[in-house]
Amino acid sequence: MDNWYEKYSGYDHDNYKRKDSGDSDMAGKKKNMLLQGGILAGAGLITKIIGFAYRIPMGNMMGEEGNGLYSIAFGIYGIALTISSYSLPLAVSKMISQRSARGESRNARRVVADALVYAFVAGLVIMLCLYFGSGILEGIYRKPGLAKPLRILAPTTFIVALLGVFRGYFQGFGDMVPTSLSQILEQIVNALVSVFATWQFMKVYADSKDIAAYGAAGGTLGTLAGAVAALFVMFFLFVTTRRRYRIRRNPHEHPETNAYIYRALFLTIIPVILSQTIYQIGYTIDDIMFGHLMVMHGYEEKVVTSLQGVFNTQYNQLINLPVAIATAMAASTLPSIVLSKMQNDTYSVHLKITQVIKVNMVIAFPSAVGLAVLAEPIMQMLFPSLVTYRSQAVILLATGSSAVIFYALSALTTSILQGNNCMRLPVIHSAISLAIHVVLLGLLLLFTDLNIYALVICNVLFPIVVSWLNCRSITRKMGYQWEMSETFIKPLIASAMMGMVAFSVYQVLYQASGNLYLAAVPAMILAVIVYGVTILQLGCFSEEELKSIPGGRGLIQLLY
């Protein structure tokens, strides 16, 4: 176990030094920060891909109504997690890191103990509220059957709260491997159990009038199972590897009281809760407003729930995947930005901001265009069983795919501002955007017949406002000058050319063969090739930037 950790963490935990003796302390810290950030970003990417993959068969089995109940239940679950445990890994890791640097071993142990008490109490309270309040929430949302998946998700909030403390403990020592492993294992178990349980529940309760609710409950069972598996692994690693995280004792350590530690926990947790609650509550407000106002217009409850399932499963899932890929690939660069900021190296900070935003946009632009021009074949291939509202799903994806660009940009600029110690600004910007979003959504649902299309309009508007406000603050606070050509214009031009080729090839091949796959797959492959060649020929990346990516030197020889 010890040798395995030394191999992948790059640290000798007994001495807290890099084993690469030729590096300076600062260089070693920088390399390790990038390594650990890359490990965590890679794990995040893998879990997002797994999460996307298992939702496809599960969504096809549930049907539109089941997907609607599942997505609404998860929106409520997201708020519950935000309140009880979302910020715990960050708070614990920060406090452990501070006390480790000062050699305060007893205080570090006290942080873990007090954080576990907080997680136990907060997780238990939220669990009980969610379980016994599920019937009340079902009435508020006017969604018959919603209580069933909520009752399964309730104990998951308790498990995840405890899990957050252990993840924060390892992260506090700069080791992201345990967190990454637990995240991947959690998602694998989640995927397997969710798909199997959904299939079983839909089969067993096939004759029930609540079959959609049982299908959604089966899907949430995987979330609980994944959390339990991850907690078991983290607790096992915590018990068996504690010797490797010894802190050199400071003889002048001043013992901290429990009250002091809880106060420090709350001061770290509350800003994160406020920030994330704005994002989470937006989905909840959308669900409540859409459900009530659509019924006021005379739509049946099942139709409304099904439309919500179309929006949250067939549209949102496809939008979120490229955003997750873009931000995960860029996440490993963000620790380096923070380190350059600590060294007061403004030039390096600006250079890295440009690089990380460029990587995001080079992924986000073609993703948005590809989803738009191939929306119909994508829906047919991924969701063959969901046919009732397919035309609406295709229009949603084709018209709302631009959200990929703005969500990627808003998430990244939020991280940049937070890394520059501007913690309050992203919260304020999100609150402003949410207020605009809610007012516009209410007006569109009340005074127009847009129904589900009102949601996609407001879904695109929200990240646009956040991105604009964040970008303005980055310019004002950091003196950053945006490189519009390489960062935005060239990826847009290359994506437009790619889109025209992909759409034309698909239409020609489909008319000739009549086969969806024989038309769509070659169109997608050719689209990737055209985009890659075009983006390189336009000079979006310099030779130095190409050398820093895998296979970049071969591309330089090919192009130049």
Side-chain angles (χ1 to χ4, degrees), residues 245-439:
Y245 300 93
R246 288 195 300 266
I247 299 174
R248 286 181 176 177
R249 180 74 184 281
N250 180 359
H252 304 292
E253 176 180 359
H254 178 70
E256 296 173 339
T257 64
N258 291 331
Y260 179 86
I261 290 175
Y262 282 124
R263 180 176 177 272
L265 270 174
F266 288 132
L267 289 176
T268 307
I269 287 170
I270 290 174
V272 179
I273 289 177
L274 291 175
S275 176
Q276 291 301 316
T277 298
I278 292 173
Y279 281 98
Q280 292 294 337
I281 204 170
Y283 294 111
T284 301
I285 292 173
D286 285 355
D287 287 334
I288 294 175
M289 288 180 62
F290 186 79
H292 284 271
L293 294 179
M294 289 290 285
V295 171
M296 286 175 56
H297 279 291
Y299 286 85
E300 293 183 6
E301 194 64 59
K302 286 189 175 183
V303 173
V304 175
T305 304
S306 296
L307 287 172
Q308 287 173 297
V310 170
F311 178 80
N312 289 316
T313 300
Q314 292 170 260
Y315 168 73
N316 259 339
Q317 283 295 306
L318 291 170
I319 293 298
N320 289 336
L321 180 63
V323 174
I325 292 174
T327 52
M329 291 185 67
S332 59
T333 309
L334 292 178
S336 178
I337 294 176
V338 175
L339 187 60
S340 296
K341 170 66 177 176
M342 293 169 60
Q343 296 171 339
N344 295 318
D345 188 351
T346 303
Y347 173 79
S348 180
V349 170
H350 289 186
L351 179 63
K352 290 168 183 175
I353 289 174
T354 299
Q355 291 174 343
V356 75
I357 292 176
K358 187 188 297 185
V359 169
N360 265 261
M361 295 301 101
V362 165
I363 297 172
F365 271 103
S367 299
V369 172
L371 290 173
V373 300
L374 298 176
E376 186 170 5
I378 288 172
M379 285 297 175
Q380 292 183 45
M381 288 190 295
L382 295 181
F383 302 102
S385 300
L386 306 181
V387 296
T388 306
Y389 301 96
R390 178 170 291 165
S391 60
Q392 288 91 335
V394 170
I395 295 173
L396 287 177
L397 188 58
T399 57
S401 63
S402 60
V404 170
I405 300 168
F406 298 107
Y407 270 116
L409 185 59
S410 65
L412 185 58
T413 51
T414 293
S415 297
I416 291 171
L417 285 171
Q418 290 172 341
N420 196 54
N421 294 325
C422 300
M423 301 296 292
R424 294 171 56 189
L425 284 177
V427 178
I428 296 171
H429 297 165
S430 297
I432 293 171
S433 183
L434 179 61
I436 297 172
H437 170 97
V438 170
V439 171

